[in-house]
Amino acid sequence: MKLNSLGFPRIGRQRELKFALEQYWREEINQTELQQIAADLRRTHWQWQADAGVELLPVGDFAFYDHVLTLSATFGVLPARHLQGDIDLDTLFRVARGRAPSGTPAPAAQMTKFFNTNYHYIVPELTEQQQFNLSWPQLWQEAAEAIAQGHQVKPVILGPVTYLHLAKTVGSKFNKLDLLPQLLAAYEQLLAKFAALGVTWVQLDEPILALELDAEWQQALRSSYLQLHSAPVKVLLASYYGSIAHHHALVSALPVAGLHLDIVAEPQQLALFADSLAAGQVLSAGVINGRNVWAAELDLLAETLAPYAHQLGDRLWLAPSCSLLHTPVDLTVEQQLAPELKALLAFAKQKLVELQELRLLLNEPLSSDAKAICQRCQQLRQQRQQSRDAKVAARLDALTPQDFQRHNVFTLRQQAQQQKLQLPLLPTTTIGSFPQTQAVRHLRSRWRKGEVTAAEYQKQLQLVTKDTIERQLKLGIDVLVHGEAERTDMVEYFGEQLAGVGFTQYGWVQSYGSRCVKPPLIYADVSRPQPMTLDWATYAQSLTDKPVKGMLTGPVTILHWSFCREDISRETVANQLALAIRDEVADLEQAGIGIIQIDEPAFREGLPLKQSDWQHYLDWAVAAFRLSASAVQDQTQIHTHMCYSEFNNTIAAIAAMDADVITIETSRSQMQLLDVFEAFEYPNEIGPGVYDIHSPNIPTEAEIVALMEKAAERIGLRQLWINPDCGLKTRQWEEVEPALRNMVNAARELRRRLG
């Protein structure tokens, strides 16, 4: 019974890759030094997995920015604007960031969420004349590297149909599936490269199978794997993030050597596929949750798997549900977690140990070690039962339909807000955060180490906030923000202040590139013991007569960007969080804050992969947002923010959220994302992002004017705001100030030209 790893986090347990990338981009280290740090990380991660009993180590899961981008480079599918000679590492960085230490800057490629996760990928751009040629050797070089270290390897690659599905077409309109034959030829060449190294198994990931596919895409899968069947390697077809039972007939007929299923997402599909395996076909059972951090109930899993272990023998592989990319690296470095909370957790490295222990329970259920594992699992279940708060439950039970509604419709609220706020046409604002400088991060580190008192810490952050307000006033921005200097992360900050939520020191997870987040741990019923943002909002507002937004993270985003308990429904947790945010909103309004932004960038991320399951999710997600926002009076303006999402199929739900103003990312798509808002006739106000904050490139005034003119062609002029795509935390002041100056000047020019 093999242990199967679908992929391991690439950032390192101390975020070594993040820091190396950023040093390289600042030209503080050279490419050789960056490559050496990456090689050291790969060596460590491979050895950890080998020590845990994984026989076929995943390679190809490492990426310097994004594994989808790595595959695009492998096949030479990179935008012409970024190609300046042969493809090298800086080419990838120009695609992802718009610039690199070498080469000429160019607009970065589009970035969006990978299925229903908080991981972002760089969207491949396909032309009608697209060629696919092996052009970037990273994948087979890393396979050779691991083999040279004495490991057996299993390359892990996105499958051809999912790759096409994730790509977008540019230039003339065409069906991207027309490119499948040429793409399959390139896959055959790549698989032959691996075979030449002595590789026997290759994992091809097709998470597209969790979607509801039409006949054309189903045929694409059928024809792809019929063609790849002749490759000189065994193919493990892997799908995850959802059930593929609805494609049972299709998948069962594919000539692959093995199949990986996400059993965490849908336990019932295990029996369905186990009974239809072909002779000799392997079943990899993804029974350890690769997207959450809670320790598995291994004794119950062993009971479930025992009949299949007997039925399949060595053809049953034990695995996480998906790549461990979505979990922190190593629990052992956490030294400040309460022991009772730490006992409930398993990070990536520990999940591999869970696989070992699960195999032991299946092979030697009566051994003393197996009995100790079962006893530990029973203790964990008892501990989890102590996570309920009667006051929180009573408050949820007392909710009425009126708690989910604003007092009046938007048109009446809009009049009241215009009268109170007196904002100009095309008001300018930012999304919330401003640069977190090295000085601020150093100050926070010293405070947490006890080297700076709480009073001195607050005093210094007040100076930073005052400076941020003064910079915005000098720039002429209409609606200000306090800059969030006190916040490490838009979710972690709130998690640290909510009852029922824990947080880690090193529980980092990659979101994209060098961007990492540290999700809170929702382990019990959630409530707000005291105000979380009130002091900072009122202090910032005291510095100016211009409106300063109160800045909150919404309940749906806190839910999705946390590691959430699994013993109650996510809908229930969302409403608990909504009540906590509702209390904060009420306090801010009472203190005179006239604009309150409740960010929901993860709203679409929570969609089930099957569209037929969407409505139930959308109903409770919209309700949670409305619960958080609906306690205020008409003249208080509620904003929300969403970024890096497609809105076509969720626009009705977004409108139902009934935020007075929504700000969205649109600059990388050149305002194309606004098409759906135009077609829907979106009724409320909207701020399409004009400044790609994920690129260090500074937009010109003319570029911003051109983008807003495109927006004005789609949306009524008096509905429009002007703002960046997202928060400015990761940028530097020397980039931010000229960009915002251009944004304000563009607004003034547009008012003159259009108003």
Side-chain angles (χ1 to χ4, degrees):
M1 195 180 301
K2 279 186 168 63
L3 306 184
N4 182 30
S5 173
L6 279 72
F8 199 80
R10 58 186 72 124
I11 59 173
R13 64 180 166 191
Q14 300 289 349
R15 292 180 292 161
E16 293 91 339
L17 182 60
K18 166 192 170 64
F19 297 123
L21 285 169
E22 292 172 355
Q23 286 178 304
Y24 176 70
W25 295 335
R26 293 192 299 263
E27 300 186 61
E28 296 171 0
I29 62 174
N30 60 36
Q31 197 168 120
T32 300
E33 292 170 301
L34 173 61
Q35 292 277 15
Q36 185 57 55
I37 292 168
D40 291 343
L41 284 172
R42 290 193 296 270
R43 177 187 293 271
T44 298
H45 298 162
W46 288 331
Q47 193 58 54
W48 283 348
Q49 293 173 88
D51 291 344
V54 177
E55 297 176 29
L56 297 172
L57 299 183
V59 298
D61 53 342
F62 180 86
F64 285 94
Y65 201 95
D66 159 48
H67 61 277
V68 181
L69 176 58
T70 301
L71 189 59
S72 293
T74 301
F75 295 137
V77 185
L78 299 179
R81 64 185 180 276
H82 300 117
L83 295 174
Q84 298 161 26
D86 293 337
I87 295 174
D88 63 6
L89 197 53
D90 278 2
T91 311
L92 275 66
F93 293 145
R94 285 195 296 273
V95 174
R97 305 178 66 245
R99 67 169 57 191
S102 69
T104 304
Q110 185 178 346
M111 181 169 65
T112 194
K113 301 287 180 69
F114 189 73
F115 290 88
N116 59 352
T117 75
N118 188 33
Y119 178 79
H120 300 64
Y121 74 96
I122 302 299
V123 180
E125 297 181 13
L126 302 173
T127 66
E128 191 170 10
Q129 292 77 36
Q130 186 70 55
Q131 299 295 310
F132 301 94
N133 300 297
L134 296 187
S135 306
W136 174 244
Q138 180 180 336
L139 292 176
W140 59 87
Q141 285 183 350
E142 289 176 5
E145 179 185 332
I147 292 168
Q149 293 171 22
H151 301 301
Q152 289 183 294
V153 303
K154 171 175 56 82
V156 174
I157 308 163
L158 201 62
V161 184
T162 296
Y163 179 76
L164 281 180
H165 176 77
L166 295 178
K168 72 174 186 177
T169 60
V170 296
S172 57
K173 290 186 178 180
F174 64 97
N175 184 347
K176 56 189 175 183
L177 281 175
D178 291 342
L179 300 174
L180 184 58
Q182 301 97 296
L183 178 60
L184 288 174
Y187 267 84
E188 289 178 312
Q189 294 174 38
L190 180 58
L191 297 183
K193 282 273 190 185
F194 291 133
L197 295 171
V199 168
T200 57
W201 281 92
V202 173
Q203 176 182 314
L204 294 181
D205 290 353
E206 295 284 9
I208 189 179
L209 281 165
L211 305 179
E212 290 162 328
L213 302 174
D214 62 25
E216 187 178 30
W217 284 93
Q218 291 186 49
Q219 179 56 37
L221 283 157
R222 192 176 294 111
S223 61
S224 294
Y225 287 89
L226 284 172
Q227 182 167 336
L228 295 177
H229 180 54
S230 60
V233 292
K234 296 179 181 179
V235 170
L236 176 70
L237 176 63
S239 193
Y240 36 78
Y241 305 150
S243 171
I244 64 171
H246 56 301
H247 292 311
H248 173 254
L250 166 68
V251 173
S252 296
L254 296 179
V256 293
L259 178 65
H260 171 83
L261 302 173
D262 185 340
I263 305 304
V264 173
E266 180 49 77
Q268 284 73 25
Q269 62 182 334
L270 177 60
L272 180 67
F273 282 96
D275 290 339
S276 59
L277 288 179
Q281 200 171 33
V282 163
L283 179 62
S284 170
V287 293
I288 300 295
N289 197 334
R291 296 183 62 176
N292 216 332
V293 294
W294 308 108
E297 297 184 344
L298 297 174
D299 54 343
L300 301 184
L301 284 178
E303 288 181 16
T304 299
L305 289 172
Y308 303 100
H310 178 73
Q311 175 185 351
L312 300 175
D314 289 342
R315 292 194 294 138
L316 178 66
W317 294 3
L318 304 178
S321 58
C322 59
S323 169
L324 297 173
L325 170 72
H326 307 295
T327 60
V329 178
D330 186 7
L331 184 62
T332 62
V333 297
E334 298 293 337
Q335 300 301 317
Q336 296 182 7
L337 280 173
E340 60 272 18
L341 179 55
K342 190 172 182 178
L344 295 173
L345 302 174
F347 291 177
K349 196 176 177 187
Q350 287 69 48
K351 288 179 183 296
L352 298 176
V353 175
E354 287 186 323
L355 290 177
Q356 276 187 312
E357 293 180 334
L358 180 57
R359 180 166 61 181
L360 175 66
L361 290 178
L362 289 168
N363 289 338
E364 302 176 39
L366 300 179
S367 69
S368 58
D369 287 341
K371 291 177 181 178
I373 293 168
C374 292
Q375 184 178 10
R376 187 186 72 216
C377 291
Q378 292 167 4
Q379 292 170 347
L380 289 177
R381 279 194 288 278
Q382 293 171 358
Q383 187 175 335
R384 284 172 176 151
Q385 293 171 358
Q386 302 169 6
S387 58
R388 304 298 173 87
D389 184 326
K391 291 181 180 179
V392 174
R395 192 175 178 194
L396 286 177
D397 290 341
L399 290 173
T400 68
Q402 286 69 38
D403 293 314
F404 297 84
Q405 301 283 346
R406 294 289 295 271
H407 299 301
N408 279 303
V409 297
F410 170 70
T411 52
L412 295 178
R413 302 197 310 263
Q414 187 181 41
Q415 294 173 15
Q417 292 160 17
Q418 288 173 344
Q419 184 175 0
K420 176 183 178 181
L421 298 171
Q422 295 293 305
L423 295 174
L425 184 72
L426 300 173
T428 55
T429 189
T430 61
I431 302 305
S433 60
F434 269 90
Q436 290 251 332
T437 63
Q438 183 63 37
V440 169
R441 292 195 296 269
H442 182 60
L443 173 67
R444 183 179 296 114
S445 176
R446 293 182 61 211
W447 168 63
R448 288 188 163 171
K449 293 176 182 176
E451 299 172 1
V452 173
T453 66
E456 180 61 21
Y457 179 62
Q458 182 170 7
K459 179 181 177 181
Q460 291 299 317
L461 288 184
Q462 285 180 338
L463 293 175
V464 174
T465 302
K466 185 172 185 290
D467 176 68
T468 301
I469 293 291
E470 289 173 348
R471 289 180 191 248
Q472 293 172 85
L473 291 171
K474 186 176 180 181
L475 288 165
I477 295 172
D478 299 309
V479 175
L480 314 186
V481 297
H482 78 286
E484 304 179 11
E486 78 284 2
R487 305 184 190 183
T488 53
D489 174 82
M490 64 181 292
V491 172
E492 182 187 26
Y493 175 79
F494 292 93
E496 291 177 339
Q497 301 182 76
L498 292 169
V501 183
F503 51 94
T504 63
Q505 290 173 275
Y506 305 106
W508 297 99
V509 178
Q510 185 184 29
S511 180
Y512 60 85
S514 68
R515 171 71 169 151
C516 300
V517 294
K518 188 146 59 75
L521 312 169
I522 301 177
Y523 65 89
D525 286 344
V526 178
S527 60
R528 186 196 73 145
Q530 59 191 19
M532 301 178 286
T533 67
L534 185 62
D535 288 347
W536 288 110
T538 52
Y539 171 71
Q541 187 63 79
S542 74
L543 301 173
T544 178
D545 292 332
K546 283 191 170 185
V548 179
K549 290 189 285 190
M551 296 302 306
L552 306 174
T553 302
V556 180
T557 293
I558 294 177
L559 171 70
H560 292 325
W561 289 359
S562 299
F563 291 119
C564 183
R565 60 193 289 194
E566 298 172 327
D567 59 322
I568 62 175
S569 73
R570 294 174 72 82
E571 177 181 356
T572 300
V573 177
N575 282 334
Q576 292 178 1
L577 290 163
L579 286 174
I581 299 301
R582 183 184 179 93
D583 292 343
E584 191 74 12
V585 168
D587 282 347
L588 289 169
E589 183 185 50
Q590 183 67 30
I593 304 301
I595 302 179
I596 302 170
Q597 182 169 310
I598 307 172
D599 287 343
E600 288 290 18
F603 180 84
R604 195 183 188 284
E605 180 181 309
L607 280 173
L609 292 182
K610 295 175 182 60
Q611 194 164 345
S612 59
D613 296 333
W614 282 11
Q615 196 56 54
H616 175 68
Y617 163 75
L618 291 172
D619 287 345
W620 66 253
V622 168
F625 177 84
R626 293 178 68 128
L627 178 60
S628 74
S630 293
V632 297
Q633 300 302 309
D634 287 355
Q635 62 266 31
T636 298
Q637 192 174 72
I638 296 293
H639 289 222
T640 192
H641 171 68
M642 297 180 179
C643 55
Y644 299 98
S645 294
E646 300 289 342
F647 302 106
N648 298 54
N649 296 316
T650 57
I651 185 65
I654 292 168
M657 292 169 70
D658 200 26
D660 298 306
V661 182
I662 180 175
T663 52
I664 61 172
E665 173 273 326
T666 51
S667 66
R668 288 196 181 192
S669 72
Q670 293 292 298
M671 295 291 168
Q672 290 178 4
L673 288 178
L674 282 183
D675 291 347
V676 66
F677 287 85
E678 177 190 21
F680 182 79
E681 297 183 357
Y682 186 76
N684 298 13
E685 297 177 17
I686 184 167
V690 295
Y691 164 21
D692 177 13
I693 67 90
H694 294 293
S695 169
N697 296 341
I698 296 170
T700 66
E701 181 181 330
E703 289 170 342
I704 295 173
V705 166
L707 285 174
M708 287 306 299
E709 286 178 332
K710 289 182 179 181
E713 293 171 359
R714 296 165 166 85
I715 305 293
L717 199 61
R718 295 192 178 275
Q719 289 177 264
L720 288 172
W721 289 59
I722 301 182
N723 46 261
D725 276 344
C726 202
L728 298 163
K729 171 184 172 182
T730 60
R731 301 265 57 92
Q732 304 298 316
W733 278 112
E734 55 267 27
E735 301 163 348
V736 166
E737 287 191 292
L740 294 182
R741 187 176 299 112
N742 291 342
M743 185 184 82
V744 171
N745 289 340
R748 290 169 177 161
E749 170 62 19
L750 286 161
R751 289 169 193 153
R752 183 192 66 78
R753 188 183 302 182
L754 302 175

